[in-house]
């Protein structure tokens, strides 16, 4: 069965410090991968999505970046965090194509980031 | 451009009441998918349903039912005989189908509280 792991679960970082959140998927190949952010009491904002190694689509201009160094690994980074980067970050994956599971997202448990 | 609107920010009802969560979407594409996800207090999102734009049949799953109407671009979710365990944030989402990497966007969510 497929599983998705996301870490760290909780992170407290000072303004201006770097960030690295990691997500890995097991039990499937060639997944679509996604990063979403949920600010406190807000909806889910799509940050990045990827169809393959090294292929990243950015949805919102900001000081965050994403990378996909391996097929089932998706990393969210920042060189210098802002206060506004605080939030709940969710990684997700979906099958490709048009089959029964296409576009159905399976989410990780999330990473709660507090920037002070 | 794609957009999902969940106008109801918060809903509170007494247990056993029926409740409907509204979702209105915008897209210029003729082929797309609509989704509902549940986010319980634990934070992890759970997939509830996917509906193809070509299938306007309403669906019922136990106490849950979904009403898809293309004429009004709505995909509403009804919980019958609500229970305290239904308390969660519910998200409606939209994606295009047929592409290898679908951008999937979410509404702002509706926080549902079921009072005993």
């Amino acid at each position: 069965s497929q599983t998705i792991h996301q870490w760290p679960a909780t992170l407290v970082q000072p303004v201006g410090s770097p960030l690295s959140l990691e997500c890995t998927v097991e039990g499937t190949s060639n997944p679509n991968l996604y990063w979403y952010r949920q600010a406190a009491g807000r909806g889910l904002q799509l940050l990045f999505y990827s169809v393959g190694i090294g292929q990243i689509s950015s949805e919102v201009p900001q000081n965050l970046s994403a990378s996909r160094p391996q097929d089932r690994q998706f990393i969210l980074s920042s060189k210098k965090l802002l206060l506004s980067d605080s939030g709940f970050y969710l990684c997700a994956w979906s099958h490709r194509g048009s089959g029964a599971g296409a576009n159905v997202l399976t989410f990780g448990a999330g990473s709660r980031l507090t920037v002070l | 451009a794609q957009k999902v609107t969940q106008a109801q920010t918060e809903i509170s009802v007494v247990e056993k009441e029926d409740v409907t969560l509204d979702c209105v979407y915008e897209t210029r594409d003729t082929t797309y998918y609509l989704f509902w996800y549940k986010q319980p207090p634990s934070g992890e999102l759970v997939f509830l349903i996917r509906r193809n734009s070509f299938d306007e049949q309403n669906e019922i799953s136990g106490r849950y039912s979904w009403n898809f109407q293309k004429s009004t671009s709505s995909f509403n979710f009804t919980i019958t005989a609500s229970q305290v365990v239904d308390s969660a944030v519910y998200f409606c989402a939209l994606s295009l189908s047929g592409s290898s990497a679908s951008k999937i966007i979410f509404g702002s969510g509706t926080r549902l509280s079921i009072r005993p």
Side-chain angles (χ1 to χ4, degrees), chain B residues 4-88:
Chain B
V4 178
T5 300
Q6 294 180 257
Q8 304 153 307
T9 306
E10 293 191 34
I11 300 176
S12 180
V13 300
V14 176
E15 197 172 19
K16 297 183 183 178
E17 286 186 10
D18 299 347
V19 59
T20 296
L21 309 181
D22 298 333
C23 174
V24 174
Y25 63 92
E26 295 177 28
T27 180
R28 293 182 179 178
D29 294 278
T30 57
T31 303
Y32 49 89
Y33 287 119
L34 295 164
F35 308 81
W36 277 95
Y37 287 82
K38 175 181 180 179
Q39 185 180 38
S42 63
E44 195 164 338
L45 277 96
V46 177
F47 165 75
L48 295 178
I49 189 172
R50 182 187 76 170
R51 172 65 69 217
N52 187 307
S53 56
F54 292 119
D55 182 2
E56 288 194 69
Q57 281 192 340
N58 292 329
E59 182 159 339
I60 297 175
S61 177
R63 296 184 296 107
Y64 294 173
S65 63
W66 291 270
N67 182 356
F68 175 30
Q69 293 193 347
K70 289 182 77 170
S71 60
T72 56
S73 297
S74 65
F75 186 43
N76 296 337
F77 173 29
T78 297
I79 302 175
T80 303
S82 60
Q83 300 176 3
V84 173
V85 293
D86 296 326
S87 297

